[in-house]
């Protein structure tokens, strides 16, 4: 019998991370759940057996300690991220900028660093890293400087790891998500600022479609990669004139 593959999911206590974790658990994967709150991770796992790893992705020691508890890692879903309230750059507190960067850039770096090291040195060698990007990695929303800058950084991480990983049988891809209905995206159903200055309700999609897409990427053989996938609510204002 083939041993189940292992995936570690950051930000697994809610939203996209939680939905993705449940899809992988149902598919028979061994799933490690990382997040700051153990009780939220337990809630994600539900009736399934999962590896609970309470850790803050911005803390290097906690990240390394969490990864060290796994005997092997086949896939990292580098998912943890936060947003900030919409504002022009002169109205954004520096601490808010630092908070977004610490999670969305440093946290992504630390998790990818730990995963890459494991995958490089384990036997058999290799694995896959899937970074959670965003539509903002391509085009910004009004007043989104910290978040948009952070997601452009994620794209740089994905491209570089995709290159550096070749020598070690490590694939790296990115999923850019638009308007998946989570608590963070609930505002789209009430109205958000547009490029025109108007406030409009935007279409959303079930977050389960994102989880299914991540599962598809994870199931590919390591000599095949999806460098970038965009999945979005069909009619959201992304393709077209602003």
């Amino acid at each position: 019998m083939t041993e189940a593959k292992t995936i570690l999911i950051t930000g697994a206590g809610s939203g996209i991370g939680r939905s993705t974790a449940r899809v992988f658990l149902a598919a028979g994967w061994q799933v490690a759940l990382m997040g700051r709150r153990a009780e939220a991770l337990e809630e994600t796992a539900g009736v399934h057996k999962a590896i609970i790893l309470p850790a803050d992705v911005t803390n290097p020691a906690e990240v390394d300690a969490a990864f060290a508890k796994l005997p092997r890692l086949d896939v990292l879903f580098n998912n943890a991220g936060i947003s900030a309230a919409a504002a022009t750059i002169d109205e954004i507190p520096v601490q808010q900028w630092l908070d977004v960067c610490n999670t969305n850039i440093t946290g992504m770096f630390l998790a990818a660093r730990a995963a890459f090291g494991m995958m490089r040195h384990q036997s058999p060698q290799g694995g896959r890293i899937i970074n959670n990007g965003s539509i903002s990695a391509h085009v910004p929303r009004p007043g989104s400087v910290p978040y948009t800058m952070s997601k452009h950084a994620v794209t740089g991480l994905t491209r570089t790891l995709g290159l550096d990983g070749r020598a070690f049988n490590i694939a790296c891809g990115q999923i850019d998500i638009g308007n998946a209905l989570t608590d963070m995206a609930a505002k789209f159903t009430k109205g958000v600022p547009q490029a025109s200055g108007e406030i409009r309700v935007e279409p959303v999609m079930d977050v389960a479609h994102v989880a299914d897409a991540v599962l598809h990427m994870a199931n590919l053989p390591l000599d095949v990669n999806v460098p970038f996938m965009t999945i979005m609510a069909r009619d959201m204002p992304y393709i077209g004139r602003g």
Side-chain angles (χ1 to χ4, degrees):
M1 184 175 179
T2 304
E3 188 175 349
K5 289 186 176 182
T6 299
I7 182 171
L8 186 149
I9 299 172
T10 65
S14 62
I16 289 168
R18 170 172 286 180
S19 178
T20 302
R22 288 175 173 171
V23 164
F24 275 83
L25 287 165
W29 282 60
Q30 181 167 285
V31 181
L33 307 174
M34 183 186 290
R36 287 175 295 177
R37 297 177 296 120
E39 62 275 15
L41 301 177
E42 296 281 2
E43 187 177 334
T44 293
V47 300
H48 296 280
K49 184 179 179 181
I51 302 169
I52 305 300
L53 300 173
D56 184 341
V57 294
T58 69
N59 185 307
E62 290 185 14
V63 170
D64 287 345
F67 276 81
K69 293 178 181 177
L70 301 178
R72 178 174 179 84
L73 181 63
D74 297 290
V75 178
L76 166 67
F77 182 33
N78 209 2
N79 165 71
I82 62 173
S83 61
T88 56
I89 192 168
D90 58 310
E91 297 175 337
I92 296 168
V94 172
Q95 188 58 53
Q96 188 176 68
W97 154 256
L98 293 173
D99 290 344
V100 171
C101 288
N102 283 341
T103 297
N104 295 11
I105 300 177
T106 300
M108 283 267 186
F109 168 84
L110 293 174
R113 178 179 180 272
F116 196 99
M118 278 193 71
M119 293 170 179
R120 176 178 181 174
H121 295 292
Q122 65 193 5
S123 182
Q125 187 182 63
R128 186 181 305 276
I129 296 170
I130 302 172
N131 294 325
N132 186 348
S134 172
I135 294 293
S136 291
H138 304 277
V139 293
R141 287 186 174 278
S144 66
V145 164
Y147 186 77
T148 296
M149 287 182 69
S150 74
K151 291 304 183 178
H152 276 69
V154 173
T155 298
L157 175 67
T158 300
R159 292 184 184 279
T160 308
L161 293 184
L163 181 61
D164 292 348
R166 293 176 183 175
F168 309 109
N169 203 29
I170 299 171
C172 185
Q174 179 170 317
I175 184 164
D176 294 322
I177 302 161
N179 289 21
L181 186 54
T182 62
D183 290 343
M184 187 184 293
K187 59 189 177 184
F188 298 133
T189 65
K190 300 174 183 178
V192 289
Q194 305 296 310
S196 64
E198 298 175 280
I199 303 294
R200 290 184 186 171
V201 170
E202 293 187 9
V204 294
M205 64 176 175
D206 192 322
V207 69
H209 298 305
V210 176
D212 289 341
V214 175
L215 181 63
H216 168 72
M217 294 170 76
N219 276 327
L220 293 170
L222 287 178
D223 60 351
V224 179
N225 191 35
V226 177
F228 294 94
M229 175 190 290
T230 300
I231 183 167
M232 53 178 268
R234 186 195 65 195
D235 294 339
M236 69 173 289
Y238 168 54
I239 296 174
R241 297 190 179 189

